[in-house]
Amino acid sequence: MKIFNTLTRKKEDFQPLEEGKVKMYVCGPTVYNLIHIGNARPMICFDTARRYLEYKGYDVNYVSNFTDVDDKIIKKAIEEGVSSEEISQRYIEECKKDMEGMNIKPATTHPLATQEIDGMIDMISTLIDKGYAYAVNGTVYYRTRKFDGYGKLSKKNIDDLEAGHRDIKVAGESEKEDPLDFVLWKPKKEGEPYWESPWGQGRPGWHIECSVMSKKYLADEIDIHAGGEDLIFPHHENEIAQSEAANGVPFSKYWMHNAFLNIDNKKMSKSLGNFFTVRDISKEYDLQVLRFFMLSAHYRNPINFSHDLMESAKNGLDRIITAVTNLNHLIENAKIEAITSEEQTQLDSVKDIFDKFEAAMDDDFNTADAIAAVFELVKFANTNATESSSKEYAEGLKKKLLTLTDILGLKVEKKEEMLDADIDALIAERQQARKDKNFARADEIRDTLLAQGIVLEDTREGVRWKRA
Ligand code: AMP
Ligand code: ZN
């Protein structure tokens, strides 16, 4: 199987460091808000890569952090008059709900930056001892020029970078030895969370987090490090500088980066008013549709989000769901139990479709082509499974279809639908909980309904609901 490695800009054969095992780190979100659909892209793409690696028999140790100390979190906490911890805890919980909706498997470990400060202090101390870092007035900087390979991931030339930074030097940032040096530890400011350190009270820089969590939960040297392409520079370049200088071994063998998601061909941004959270989308669609939409493009190509494309994703996913529903119907009503030899031959021929699916996924996780193979199987099932098929044959086809959709993380078996009366009863209970000011229970009911694909709308005439 081949993976495109950002480090070499080539598709390379995948050879894990340890046979049968994959150590994979994916940079997670900064938790100060509901995650947006751009953040959902690396989550979905790399979760799918993980699922495929597991299908191939690898034991995958998948680590993805939450950045829970950051300027944006502190700003939000000040705006709301609550602690940074309250903000990050709240949005970690919300993020986990969205992940569940998108059927993203929980990581083997989801470390939190604030719980790993000791490890960060250790690594920063090592970097100082080895001459790669220095402290000035409570700030610790990384001595960028000291690290020989700086720029190897982003293919940036250190002298060009220097030219770009000259204005900073002019602006009087004289504390640094060199404008290229970046922060490992910063002194506390009034009202900010802080920890004790050998350099005084303060908090870590962003890049050191991932170097430390990756080392602690995986190893000094890992197989795959992944994230969105905006992280190549400076985040991942700095992670490499830190980890390789501190540990003395290559950091990650393969670097994977997803391209960006745009909206109506424009960059998504709050100021342009074209900004969607995953939660916004969940009000209109089952999040499986969002997942299917993301996988319909190769992860290294930009993807454009629009209403029309979501509608066609919904239609595509529905075709698969309908095929499974039909198979279920045939299984329930089959008149013959055992598979015939003719049917067995047909079922065996599905191997060709599996080969196509695997060839696509082996080619740097080409999910777009893999989906084409799934549709081929859907067509095969629709054509070949009939009222006169045996139960075993229909079951065999369903199993094969679910094997493929499960690798893509798509849930295609229709849930038992909640009865209207049960929905109405829950809504009445929610209204009562709100009257009683029991907002926790009211929210819980809304989430329960949402998980069943029931969307609530508060209108002047009362609460309306619809199936997403
Ligand atoms: P952040 O919370 O900004 O650090 O982002 C978390 C992850 O989402 C990172 O891997 C980013 O590269 C990724 N990301 C942010 N915006 C987008 C986008 N519009 N398209 C794809 N990935 C994105
Ligand atoms: Zn990171």
Side-chain angles (χ1 to χ4, degrees), residues 238-457:
N238 291 354
E239 281 188 37
I240 292 176
Q242 295 163 161
S243 294
E244 297 193 355
N247 303 329
V249 290
F251 183 21
S252 179
K253 206 168 164 192
Y254 304 90
W255 287 85
M256 292 178 71
H257 294 98
N258 65 274
F260 257 43
L261 173 143
N262 298 313
I263 301 207
D264 293 325
N265 295 308
K266 287 190 211 80
K267 190 173 165 24
M268 179 167 68
S269 84
K270 275 198 173 144
S271 56
L272 287 175
N274 63 353
F275 183 93
F276 296 107
T277 63
V278 169
R279 202 60 59 86
D280 291 333
I281 302 306
S282 76
K283 297 196 172 126
E284 207 177 332
Y285 294 99
D286 186 320
L287 289 177
Q288 291 302 294
V289 177
L290 183 66
R291 181 163 187 131
F292 184 88
F293 160 78
M294 295 280 186
L295 297 179
S296 63
H298 188 273
Y299 75 92
R300 278 190 295 112
N301 289 334
I303 189 170
N304 191 43
F305 180 92
S306 71
H307 184 74
D308 287 354
L309 290 170
M310 278 297 279
E311 282 299 307
S312 71
K314 184 171 187 297
N315 291 337
L317 185 62
D318 279 347
R319 264 169 67 200
I320 308 174
I321 293 172
T322 305
V324 175
T325 310
N326 287 343
L327 287 170
N328 276 338
H329 175 81
L330 295 177
I331 292 164
E332 268 169 42
N333 299 295
K335 295 186 189 72
I336 313 163
E337 257 325 288
I339 193 163
T340 65
S341 66
E342 200 182 312
E343 284 177 337
Q344 186 63 57
T345 312
Q346 275 200 358
L347 197 57
D348 292 343
S349 77
V350 168
K351 186 181 174 301
D352 291 347
I353 298 176
F354 266 64
D355 287 348
K356 282 188 200 167
F357 181 95
E358 289 188 23
M361 292 298 276
D362 281 343
D363 183 15
D364 191 29
F365 305 102
N366 190 337
T367 52
D369 285 0
I371 287 176
V374 174
F375 280 131
E376 210 173 306
L377 184 51
V378 163
K379 193 168 164 207
F380 184 96
N382 290 346
T383 319
N384 294 300
T386 65
E387 307 270 319
S388 51
S389 300
S390 70
K391 184 175 174 184
E392 207 179 330
Y393 177 62
E395 276 172 348
L397 279 176
K398 177 183 159 189
K399 193 163 162 234
K400 293 208 183 287
L401 193 46
L402 292 189
T403 300
L404 296 189
T405 50
D406 194 47
I407 295 170
L408 299 175
L410 295 169
K411 288 200 235 169
V412 291
E413 235 180 335
K414 261 217 155 103
K415 298 168 239 164
E416 280 286 312
E417 283 205 338
M418 231 181 173
L419 295 173
D420 289 7
D422 293 337
I423 298 169
D424 291 336
L426 275 173
I427 290 175
E429 192 191 333
R430 177 169 171 265
Q431 292 302 84
Q432 188 58 46
R434 284 170 131 195
K435 265 194 204 140
D436 301 343
K437 301 219 176 314
N438 184 354
F439 297 113
R441 176 64 188 148
D443 285 351
E444 194 177 272
I445 293 173
R446 191 199 51 211
D447 292 340
T448 306
L449 289 166
L450 201 58
Q452 295 288 328
I454 309 295
V455 179
L456 300 186
E457 217 181 14

Side-chain angles (χ1 to χ4, degrees), residues 26-32 36-42 72 206 226-231 258-262 268:
V26 181
C27 292
T30 306
V31 278
Y32 66 101
H36 59 65
I37 55 175
N39 300 139
R41 192 170 192 199
K72 295 192 202 96
W206 170 37
E229 66 184 4
D230 59 322
L231 299 187
N258 65 274
F260 257 43
L261 173 143
N262 298 313
M268 179 167 68

Side-chain angles (χ1 to χ4, degrees), residues 127-145:
L127 289 170
I128 294 178
D129 291 346
K130 289 189 167 184
Y132 284 97
Y134 56 96
V136 198
N137 299 328
T139 304
V140 183
Y141 293 101
Y142 187 95
R143 196 171 268 134
T144 303
R145 272 186 190 275

Side-chain angles (χ1 to χ4, degrees), residues 31-33 68 70-91 190-193:
V31 278
Y32 66 101
N33 217 332
D68 63 343
D70 173 86
D71 290 344
K72 295 192 202 96
I73 300 173
I74 295 168
K75 184 167 171 268
K76 179 103 172 184
I78 292 169
E79 277 165 18
E80 287 196 19
V82 297
S83 67
S84 292
E85 202 188 341
E86 187 171 333
I87 296 290
S88 56
Q89 281 302 326
R90 183 197 305 161
Y91 290 111
E190 204 41 50
E192 290 186 354

